[in-house]
Amino acid sequence: MANDSTANERGRTGAPVRSAIVQLLSHMRDGKEIREYLNRFSQVDQERFAVVKVGGAVIEEQLEPLSAALAFLQTVGLAPIVVHGGGPQLDAALGEAGIETVRKKGLRVTPPEAIPVIRETLTDLNVRLVQAIRDQGGRAASIPSGVFEAELIDEAELGRVGEPSRIRLDLVHAAAKAGQAPILACLGDTSDGTMVNINADAAVRALVHELQPYKVIFLTGTGALLDETGAPISAINLTTDYDALMASDWVSGGMRLKMEEIKRLLDDLPLSSSVSITRPDALTKELFTHAGAGTLVRRGENILE
Ligand code: ARG
C-alpha cells in the first residue's frame, strides 16, 4: 500500500518535468544549441550560474510549472539560487492581522508587530516552494533567513525595513554542496539579530553584487518586457537601446522602474552576464535556445566568450 502510493506519487509528479523536457526538445532544430548552452552554463562555478527572482504571485499561480522548471535544471546539473518575494501573500496575511499595508518609496512600511506575520508568511511560502520542487523530484533547501545582514533604512519612517549590508553565504554554500537548490526568502537581520523585512529587488541586487552570476532571471506572469503595442521585446542591448527606450513616452511606470533596475544590475556585472525575463513554463526554452522565450537584456554588444 505504502509502496503503491509512492509509485503513484512519482508517476504523477514526474509528469511536469517530462513535459518541460518535451517542450524544450520541440523548440530545437537539433541538439547542438542545447548542448552549447548546457556546456556554457556548466562551465561557470554553479553558485555563479544564475540568480532567479520569483515574485509571490508566480508562486501562487504557477507553482507547478515553476517547480518543474527548477527541478528540470537540477536534472541537467544546473543549480540556480532562487530568491522569492511574497507581496500578495503578505498583503493578505497582514490584512487578516489588521495591519494596513502602506508603501513608501516602493517599500513596505513595516511596524514591529508586522514582523511575526511576515516571518510566518514568508517561511510558509518558502517551504511550499521547496516542497513543490521536491515533489517534482528536485532537491531544494529552505533558507528563509540567515543570508541577508541588513541595516535599518529609516526606522522612524519605514519601520523594520532593511537594506542588505552583508551577504552570509554559509547556508547557500552548504545547500549547494549537498546538491540542493538554495531557496531564499527576503528575511534579513541586523548585526545584533533584529529581524527586518527586505525588499526582494534589494535582496536580489545585493546577492547579484556578491555572486556576480552569469544569468539573472526574473520569472514573472507576463514573462517579457512589452513594447508599445503590447508585444514582447525579444532582446534589449543597453548600450544601443537604453537611452532611446527611456526617452520614449510609452516606457512608463513599472516598465521604467524595471529598466532602471536591470541597468543597475548589469552595470555591476561582467559584460558576459545577462538578464532574462521569462515565465516559468518558458524558462527552459529561454535558457537553452538562441531565440529564447522572453526578453534578454545585455549591457553591450553580444559577446561570444
Ligand atoms: N539561451 C540564451 C541565454 O539564456 C539566449 C536567450 C535569448 N533570449 C531572448 N529572449 N532573446 O542567454
Side-chain angles (χ1 to χ4, degrees):
M1 191 65 185
N3 276 346
D4 269 10
S5 76
T6 313
N8 277 341
E9 207 126 281
R10 284 218 189 92
R12 180 159 43 83
T13 53
V17 173
R18 265 201 302 281
S19 84
I21 297 172
V22 170
Q23 189 235 2
L24 172 62
L25 293 173
S26 72
H27 290 297
M28 283 184 339
R29 288 184 305 259
D30 58 57
K32 210 170 137 254
E33 231 171 296
I34 185 171
R35 235 177 299 129
E36 191 183 315
Y37 283 112
L38 197 50
N39 283 341
R40 196 178 296 184
F41 299 149
S42 308
Q43 268 159 22
V44 295
D45 176 11
Q46 276 312 291
E47 280 173 27
R48 291 198 43 233
F49 157 51
V51 169
V52 179
K53 185 200 161 187
V54 184
V58 171
I59 301 183
E60 206 61 56
E61 289 149 24
Q62 300 184 45
L63 187 59
E64 191 168 276
L66 170 64
S67 43
L70 294 172
F72 169 73
L73 290 182
Q74 269 206 336
T75 62
V76 296
L78 298 175
I81 297 176
V82 177
V83 180
H84 70 81
Q89 292 86 350
L90 289 176
D91 289 348
L94 289 166
E96 230 162 81
I99 302 168
E100 194 198 346
T101 293
V102 181
R103 284 201 171 72
K104 277 188 195 165
K105 301 176 193 149
L107 300 171
R108 180 186 297 276
V109 176
T110 307
E113 65 272 20
I115 287 288
V117 181
I118 293 176
R119 170 165 51 192
E120 192 173 330
T121 307
L122 289 183
T123 304
D124 281 355
L125 198 58
N126 185 274
V127 169
R128 230 167 92 201
L129 176 54
V130 165
Q131 193 53 52
I133 296 169
R134 290 181 182 162
D135 286 346
Q136 303 289 345
R139 281 160 303 170
S142 168
I143 310 181
S145 60
V147 173
F148 302 102
E149 189 171 308
E151 272 159 22
L152 288 163
I153 298 173
D154 181 346
E155 199 170 5
E157 212 195 345
L158 298 170
R160 299 264 280 274
V161 180
E163 173 65 26
S165 50
R166 193 162 80 96
I167 303 288
R168 295 193 218 97
L169 286 175
D170 318 3
L171 293 171
V172 172
H173 290 322
K177 233 175 137 181
Q180 299 166 335
I183 311 296
L184 277 50
C186 303
L187 292 168
D189 47 77
T190 60
S191 55
D192 64 357
T194 304
M195 185 164 276
V196 294
N197 175 27
I198 295 180
N199 173 268
D201 281 325
V204 167
R205 211 182 299 134
L207 197 63
V208 162
H209 177 74
E210 180 74 23
L211 290 168
Q212 298 283 298
Y214 186 63
K215 300 264 338 168
V216 181
I217 300 165
F218 291 92
L219 294 179
T220 68
T222 316
L225 295 177
L226 307 178
D227 70 12
E228 68 263 59
T229 69
I233 303 172
S234 172
I236 294 173
N237 181 323
L238 292 183
T239 307
T240 53
D241 305 340
Y242 185 77
D243 290 342
L245 274 173
M246 295 305 270
S248 47
D249 50 14
W250 60 272
V251 179
S252 58
M255 166 92 171
R256 182 167 284 274
L257 287 175
K258 198 88 237 173
M259 284 304 304
E260 283 167 354
E261 183 61 30
I262 292 169
K263 178 165 170 27
R264 202 166 159 184
L265 287 172
L266 284 175
D267 279 346
D268 191 29
L269 287 171
L271 273 175
S272 52
S273 294
S274 61
V275 170
S276 282
I277 299 117
T278 186
R279 283 192 327 255
D281 63 355
L283 177 61
T284 50
K285 186 179 175 198
E286 171 65 10
L287 283 175
F288 297 106
T289 65
H290 295 322
T295 304
L296 178 77
V297 190
R298 286 182 165 275
R299 181 142 62 98
E301 305 304 323
N302 257 11
I303 296 205
L304 283 178
E305 62 276 39

